[in-house]
Amino acid sequence: MTAILEIRNVTRRFGDFAAVNDVSLSVASGEFFTLLGPSGCGKTTLLRMIAGFDDPDAGEILLGGKDLTGTAPERRPIHTVFQSYALFPHMTVAQNVAFPLKMAKRPAEEIDRRVREALELVHLAEKRTSFPHELSGGQKQRVALARGLINRPRLLLLDEPLGALDAKLREEMQIELIAMQRELGITFVFVTHSQPEALALSHRIAVMNAGRIEQMDEPSKIYGFPRNRFVADFIGHCNMLEARVADATPQGLRLEVPGLGAVAAPPADGARAGASGVLAIRPEQVRIAAPDAALDLQNRFGGKVRDFLYVGDVTTYVVDLESGARVEALLANSAPGRAKFFEVGDAVQVAWRHDAGAFLHG
Amino acid sequence: MARRRGERVTRWLVGGPPGAFLLLFFLLPSLIMIVASFRYPGEFGGLAPLFPAGPGEEGGLTTENYRVFFSDWIYFQIFLKSFGVAAFTTLVCLLMAYPIALLIARSPHQRRDLMVLLVVLPFASNFLVRVYAWMIILGPFDLLFTRSAVILGLVYVHLPFMVLPLYTNLEKHDPVLLDAAQDLGATGWSRFWRVTFPLSLPGIFSGSALVFIPVLGVFAIPEILGGIHDWLVGNMIKEAFLGVRDWPFGSMLSLMLTVCVLAVAGAAAWLAARGLQRA
Ligand SMILES: Nc1ncnc2c1ncn2[C@@H]1O[C@H](COP(=O)(O)OP(=O)(O)O)[C@@H](O)[C@H]1O
Ligand SMILES: [Mg+2]
């Protein structure tokens, strides 16, 4: 895979505050790449620099190996889908979609044909003469997408494009987005603060926090092997137990968790005896069972159900351990004839494998 | 049901007084003027009685004023000249006001109010004083009592009426639209002609109406800055009422002016609607 977009040590400061701080990344041709991070972490600022609306204070941005510095936004083969759609209110759907081709001075009959194709691609052929204010949110979103894609940019930037849609429509659009990206083979750089969205859509994710990239990897790696406390906490749910390394061997770690005692954990890079950090373990890795059940697991603790959250397919139980620590455990509601396994106040035991979870420094 | 009635009462209470005001002070005078244009002038100004007291006395209704108007080219010429001057003034105002309005609309928020204040500041001093000031300014340049002086004065006085509606419109434009246009390949020039300009058409229309219509009725500026040859419709109407004291003739002129303005406005609205449909 060849890198189409390369960002090298890019920094952007507003006053003393670095909105984007020494960010480097590279996006492969045809990739669906996502910038994921909480609001205010610098995603839009980075996107605006790629599009050319803002310049880095340091570092460089390359497209297809060529430095983009000094190239005006209108000359970059990069198009953006804005969160607010930014459809031209005085133009019809067809005129909006035709705009990039008009600017590229394509012949009229070619514009006509390609607009028709693009509108068919987004299922809006019958809306070609409507004005934006006559469309629903999802339809506007599709027009913005068609307009961004029609002139086949080398890179399509999408800044929280699904943020304004309601949950159901969002899911529909996510599926269409994946299909469209695969079909057209255009490289997407997608921005979102929604981690399920990022996990569902992307080939690769860069998790951003406070202007920096915390981790960059495939969704399953990001979720399964978060590199630090921030990523573990931001992506999905995670139990975080303060821990100190008591013993480190190549086979695994023995952690000392205050109030809980010894806990076995998988090996971690650079974890030496005496280091402190957290044990991050996902609720679905934690088994929950009746106190008398025989669980052949190394890490096993007794507790009481404090609360539970029933969401249909699964239930999350919040368990107060005898030692005072609190752990969340996930249980699938798939046993026949059963909808609920434990009530608030029930005595239970929680357990997890010795190689589950991860020790994170700091 | 009760809520509905409550709404209706509220609507009448709110809409009633201004409605009555318009009825009394706009519609009624217009009707009086229409009737007056068909009457005879009184001996010392005013109107001759509608029902003559005795034989030999003037009175009643007549179409004489209209006959005079339509049988002499001079009126047509003055009307045409007035519309020409008004149209030209409007155009100059538009060309000057657009950059000003755009500049204000694109300035930082905290500076805009001050700039708008500067635009309307001339209203704080008397209109006649300001026009006389132009006499002093234009005197040394040999421009006084020319058509250019009249246009200059008209543009100067009416410029704020163009700037304000344009600014109000331009200020509302979402800047992200320009970003989108640029992102999709539009150069500065295309961004203006394809986004800013079409979106500002409503502002252009209202600004133009606010300049064009008052300029048609103006008489003080041509009188002070223009020569006797630069009479506009406004001067004729004023002269009819205050000079020769022929109220019926003045009423007829004013009525014809109103009809012409409505015709122009109607044509403009029709063209605009057709333009929008095609665009
Ligand atoms: N033009 C600007 N001037 C000053 N601060 C800015 C500017 N643009 C963005 N910022 C700041 O930079 C940070 C990152 O903003 P942004 O990139 O919009 O975040 P995100 O898109 O991830 O929500 C924010 O704290 C924001 O206040
Ligand atoms: Mg943002």
Side-chain angles (χ1 to χ4, degrees):
Chain A
M1 287 267 240
T2 50
I4 184 151
L5 174 74
E6 255 188 276
I7 294 181
R8 291 187 189 152
N9 307 101
V10 162
T11 295
R12 176 72 174 105
R13 286 187 202 87
F14 297 112
D16 290 339
F17 167 76
V20 171
N21 198 349
D22 195 23
V23 163
S24 297
L25 57 87
S26 89
V27 178
S29 181
E31 195 175 18
F32 195 128
F33 187 90
T34 296
L35 293 169
L36 169 67
S39 162
C41 72
K43 307 182 295 290
T44 298
T45 307
L46 186 56
L47 220 54
R48 285 179 64 83
M49 288 189 284
I50 301 173
F53 291 112
D54 201 357
D55 295 315
D57 291 314
E60 50 194 3
I61 300 174
L62 289 84
L63 186 74
K66 263 190 20 216
D67 191 351
L68 283 177
T69 311
T71 307
E74 63 263 38
R75 308 212 169 280
R76 298 187 184 194
I78 298 173
H79 288 174
T80 307
V81 175
F82 294 86
Q83 172 163 14
S84 57
Y85 313 133
L87 299 181
F88 303 121
H90 58 296
M91 298 184 196
T92 61
V93 166
Q95 287 168 333
N96 263 285
V97 175
F99 190 84
L101 296 178
K102 269 215 177 103
M103 291 303 105
K105 303 213 164 53
R106 307 305 306 168
E109 77 269 26
E110 181 194 329
I111 294 182
D112 240 33
R113 176 175 53 78
R114 283 172 69 178
V115 167
R116 218 169 325 111
E117 287 168 5
L119 287 179
E120 262 156 37
L121 180 73
V122 295
H123 316 300
L124 279 177
E126 76 288 0
K127 291 281 180 195
R128 51 179 296 126
T129 55
S130 303
F131 283 92
H133 69 265
E134 297 164 330
L135 303 179
S136 71
Q139 290 169 335
K140 285 185 202 169
Q141 177 57 68
R142 288 193 171 91
V143 177
L145 213 57
R147 191 179 66 172
L149 287 167
I150 192 164
N151 205 16
R152 303 199 138 266
R154 305 200 49 196
L155 203 61
L156 187 71
L157 311 176
L158 303 103
D159 192 355
E160 312 218 12
L162 308 181
L165 303 181
D166 56 60
K168 195 148 174 54
L169 200 54
R170 224 176 142 111
E171 214 162 290
E172 262 176 54
M173 282 306 296
Q174 287 177 0
I175 292 168
E176 278 188 38
L177 217 51
I178 298 178
M180 217 178 287
Q181 198 266 341
R182 193 182 314 128
E183 194 170 325
L184 299 173
I186 289 177
T187 312
F188 277 23
V189 175
F190 185 92
V191 158
T192 183
H193 63 258
S194 153
Q195 48 93 11
E197 191 165 285
L199 293 174
L201 293 176
S202 327
H203 294 137
R204 269 192 320 144
I205 299 173
V207 182
M208 284 185 73
N209 180 35
R212 288 178 181 281
I213 291 184
E214 299 280 357
Q215 189 172 357
M216 186 156 43
D217 219 327
E218 292 163 22
S220 60
K221 296 265 179 54
I222 296 264
Y223 185 84
F225 305 98
R227 219 176 57 189
N228 58 36
R229 207 190 264 241
F230 175 82
V231 177
D233 202 26
F234 190 70
I235 309 288
H237 271 282
C238 211
N239 292 300
M240 302 278 209
L241 301 169
E242 297 294 333
R244 214 170 47 77
V245 180
D247 190 21
T249 65
Q251 284 73 46
L253 303 177
R254 201 162 52 76
L255 302 175
E256 188 61 39
V257 177
L260 214 57
V263 174
D269 284 344
R272 245 172 267 129
S276 63
V278 288
L279 171 65
I281 182 157
R282 303 240 178 241
E284 69 267 24
Q285 295 174 310
V286 180
R287 290 271 309 267
I288 179 169
D292 51 357
L295 292 176
D296 186 21
L297 294 170
Q298 212 169 329
N299 304 309
R300 204 145 55 94
F301 308 95
K304 230 184 219 173
V305 175
R306 176 195 164 82
D307 234 331
F308 61 85
L309 190 71
Y310 174 78
V311 291
D313 50 351
V314 295
T315 302
T316 303
Y317 292 92
V318 182
V319 178
D320 276 340
L321 302 184
E322 279 146 16
S323 59
R326 188 171 291 167
V327 169
E328 288 182 20
L330 201 72
L331 193 57
N333 294 322
S334 51
R338 297 284 293 273
K340 220 191 277 175
F341 292 86
F342 305 104
E343 293 289 347
V344 171
D346 282 0
V348 291
Q349 55 173 333
V350 293
W352 60 89
R353 292 168 57 98
H354 66 279
D355 56 356
F359 175 77
L360 308 171
H361 293 274
Chain B
M1 219 39 201
R3 203 176 63 87
R4 277 277 181 75
R5 203 170 50 218
E7 265 173 30
R8 215 176 315 146
V9 171
T10 314
R11 200 153 58 214
W12 276 107
L13 279 178
V14 173
F21 181 90
L22 278 179
L23 212 64
L24 199 61
F25 297 111
F26 179 77
L27 193 60
L28 200 60
S30 299
L31 288 174
I32 291 174
M33 204 180 69
I34 292 174
V35 175
S37 73
F38 287 101
R39 290 170 66 176
Y40 289 99
E43 224 167 317
F44 307 102
L47 300 167
L50 204 48
F51 305 102
E57 277 203 45
E58 230 176 13
L61 296 174
T62 175
T63 54
E64 177 64 11
N65 293 319
Y66 291 90
R67 199 192 58 72
V68 172
F69 181 80
F70 285 110
S71 62
D72 197 339
W73 266 113
I74 185 78
Y75 299 108
F76 179 71
Q77 279 171 346
I78 292 190
F79 261 66
L80 205 61
K81 187 171 73 182
S82 302
F83 274 83
V85 166
F88 187 68
T89 305
T90 308
L91 185 69
V92 175
C93 278
L94 180 63
L95 292 179
M96 290 178 61
Y98 211 110
I100 300 174
L102 206 55
L103 180 79
I104 303 177
R106 306 250 168 109
S107 297
H109 269 283
Q110 61 273 32
R111 226 179 298 157
R112 288 186 203 163
D113 289 342
L114 178 70
M115 294 170 91
V116 170
L117 182 72
L118 288 177
V119 168
V120 296
L121 199 60
F123 289 131
S125 63
N126 183 283
F127 161 77
L128 278 180
V129 173
R130 286 183 287 136
V131 177
Y132 275 108
W134 274 104
M135 279 187 90
I136 301 172
I137 297 170
L138 293 178
F141 298 101
D142 249 1
L143 274 175
L144 210 49
F145 309 129
T146 62
R147 175 73 57 85
S148 313
V150 174
I151 301 273
L152 208 68
L154 288 172
V155 168
Y156 162 71
V157 167
H158 294 91
L159 193 58
F161 295 110
M162 186 66 93
V163 175
L164 291 182
L166 270 179
Y167 161 69
T168 316
N169 171 287
L170 290 170
E171 185 238 9
K172 284 198 296 259
H173 292 196
D174 187 348
V176 79
L177 292 181
L178 289 179
D179 279 356
Q182 184 172 19
D183 187 75
L184 297 168
T187 57
W189 195 241
S190 330
R191 291 202 288 281
F192 177 78
W193 283 112
R194 292 188 180 265
V195 180
T196 306
F197 181 75
L199 287 176
S200 69
L201 281 176
I204 293 179
F205 283 135
S206 48
S208 298
L210 284 179
V211 172
F212 187 79
I213 294 170
V215 166
L216 273 180
V218 95
F219 59 85
I221 295 170
E223 212 163 272
I224 300 170
L225 299 177
I228 185 78
H229 306 295
D230 259 314
W231 268 27
L232 302 178
V233 193
N235 300 87
M236 272 204 305
I237 296 172
K238 184 213 151 196
E239 187 58 20
F241 276 99
L242 303 180
V244 300
R245 291 173 182 271
D246 189 342
W247 287 20
F249 195 74
S251 301
M252 180 278 297
L253 283 176
S254 243
L255 206 62
M256 294 316 291
L257 182 60
T258 308
V259 168
C260 289
V261 167
L262 287 179
V264 169
W270 183 74
L271 279 177
R274 234 177 54 133
L276 276 185
Q277 256 171 24
R278 255 187 317 139

